[in-house]
Amino acid sequence: MRPIALVLVLPLALAACKEEAAAPPPPRPVVSEVVTPQSGLRPQYVGTVTARVETDLGFPRIGTVAARPVRVGDVVQKGDVLARQDPEELDADLRAAEAGVTVAEAQANSARDAAARVDELVARGVDSTAAAQSAHASAAAAEAQLEQARATLARAEDARNLATLRAPQDGVITQTFAEPGATLAAGQPVLRLAGTGEREVVIDLSEQDIAGLAPGAVFHVRLEAAPLIGATATLRVIDPMADAATRTRRLHLTLASDTPAAFRLGALALVEPVAETHARTTLPLTALIGAKTGSDSAVWVVSRPEGIVHRTIVKTGATVGDRVLILAGLKPGDEVVTKGVNSIKDGQKVGREVSE
């Protein structure tokens, strides 16, 4: 009887193996993102008060720095002396130019007198018309040389005046590059001046944070050291390029004209967007199926706990970096698939959410 029992058991074991092989695979996990009202801009973050205009100042000609009466942190007014260049060579050029004008004036006067005498002789019939023409040509040449000498003098005077470096606007000295005695090339900076006429607050945000923001957005700004001192700032511009190291972009917020003087350059400020300028919902561009932007865009929304995906039409807005603004079609709490969207079918069952 033993051979018969083995024959009966063997087919049963083979059938069980076939049933195991035919079992469907478990639903695949998905990379997804949950839509929340906080998607986008953080409610508060830290920025720095800076000058809108910051200029490196130097001398237009090569020379030696004779004096630099200002230091880092000094507050200066428009027209204040910031540095002086050694004027010895410039003074020599100026004296040479003045002498050139004197010589040219004497030659021009002599040529004019000669032309006048020739004209008188021609009128009395003593000299020829050709001589008069030659005399007037010499006088014209002398006048041109005089104008050239005067132009050379004007350039020398300008160079001498520019040997004194003056503040082009009210501001603060934020950096110095050269000490007295240093010889600098033409245009090489001596110091850096930050203008105090227009101040702004700069902040660095990720591309996700700035999606939906545009120039003109209004923010409330408070001093980090004195939170009771506040002001209003307006978004002026977003840097078009992200920082290579942090992958953030810099926002420039222009402070209002009535901003308190306590907002000094370099001060830390707490920045909050006003209610109507809060950033809205954004998603990665990889979440979109079909058209990447416009009214035909769609995403896969996962219904939990069933794990069934449904194709949902969304209205998209501006694209910032690798994220897109979602204007309509989603609500807070929706789970949206963000990776592998082209290999999913409507009504498909998916597994748990996993991180990238």
Side-chain angles (χ1 to χ4, degrees), residues 9-10 15 37 41 97 99 272-273 278 288 301 310 316:
V9 171
L10 186 58
L41 193 66
E272 297 177 354
H278 275 290
L288 298 181
V301 176
H310 302 283
T316 59

Side-chain angles (χ1 to χ4, degrees), residues 137-194:
S138 298
E143 291 289 349
Q145 290 176 350
L146 176 59
E147 290 302 319
Q148 184 178 11
R150 287 172 176 169
T152 301
L153 175 60
R155 287 197 301 269
E157 289 174 341
D158 289 341
R160 181 61 180 84
N161 292 333
L162 292 174
T164 300
L165 188 61
R166 298 182 181 275
Q169 60 183 337
D170 297 347
V172 178
I173 306 301
T174 58
Q175 191 172 354
T176 58
F177 303 103
E179 299 294 331
T183 299
L184 304 180
Q188 188 173 347
V190 178
L191 50 82
R192 179 172 295 164
L193 176 67

Side-chain angles (χ1 to χ4, degrees), residues 25-30 301-310 337 343-352:
R28 74 170 200 182
V30 291
V301 176
V302 184
S303 60
R304 298 291 185 184
E306 298 85 0
I308 305 299
V309 295
H310 302 283
V337 180
S343 59
I344 297 177
K345 296 180 180 180
D346 198 10
Q348 178 179 337
K349 186 173 183 179
V350 297
R352 61 186 179 86

Side-chain angles (χ1 to χ4, degrees), residues 47-128:
T48 305
V49 180
T50 64
R52 179 173 178 179
V53 179
E54 197 168 19
T55 310
D56 290 347
L57 302 176
F59 299 106
R61 290 186 54 169
I62 186 172
T64 302
V65 179
R68 199 205 66 213
V70 295
R71 295 178 295 178
V72 173
D74 286 352
V75 178
V76 298
Q77 304 297 320
K78 182 178 180 179
D80 286 354
V81 175
L82 306 180
R84 290 187 177 89
Q85 195 175 30
D86 187 350
E88 182 177 353
E89 183 178 348
L90 298 173
D91 286 342
D93 293 341
L94 180 59
R95 290 193 297 268
E98 290 173 343
V101 170
T102 301
V103 172
E105 285 178 343
Q107 291 175 344
N109 290 334
S110 177
R112 283 193 293 267
D113 292 341
R117 287 194 299 271
V118 172
D119 287 341
E120 183 179 353
L121 293 174
V122 170
R124 289 160 50 184
V126 176
D127 212 337
S128 64

Side-chain angles (χ1 to χ4, degrees), residues 138-310:
S138 298
E143 291 289 349
Q145 290 176 350
L146 176 59
E147 290 302 319
Q148 184 178 11
R150 287 172 176 169
T152 301
L153 175 60
R155 287 197 301 269
E157 289 174 341
D158 289 341
R160 181 61 180 84
N161 292 333
L162 292 174
T164 300
L165 188 61
R166 298 182 181 275
Q169 60 183 337
D170 297 347
V172 178
I173 306 301
T174 58
Q175 191 172 354
T176 58
F177 303 103
E179 299 294 331
T183 299
L184 304 180
Q188 188 173 347
V190 178
L191 50 82
R192 179 172 295 164
L193 176 67
T196 54
E198 289 186 276
R199 289 166 291 169
E200 63 182 21
V201 176
V202 295
I203 55 176
D204 297 316
L205 299 181
S206 68
E207 292 181 339
Q208 176 180 352
D209 291 337
I210 65 176
L213 289 176
V218 181
F219 296 79
H220 294 310
V221 184
R222 295 179 292 115
L223 285 176
E224 193 274 338
L228 295 180
I229 302 177
T232 301
T234 304
L235 177 59
R236 177 173 64 86
V237 68
I238 301 173
D239 284 356
M241 298 297 295
D243 184 87
T246 63
R247 305 309 304 166
T248 58
R249 297 197 189 191
R250 175 153 292 186
L251 280 68
H252 300 261
L253 314 178
T254 301
L255 290 167
S257 57
D258 59 350
T259 298
F263 281 82
R264 296 181 176 88
L265 301 182
L268 294 180
L270 303 176
V271 183
E272 297 177 354
V274 298
E276 61 269 23
T277 57
H278 275 290
R280 292 162 283 184
T281 301
T282 65
L283 286 175
L285 284 169
T286 55
L288 298 181
I289 54 179
K292 290 302 181 184
T293 57
S295 58
D296 296 330
S297 298
V299 297
W300 295 117
V301 176
V302 184
S303 60
R304 298 291 185 184
E306 298 85 0
I308 305 299
V309 295
H310 302 283

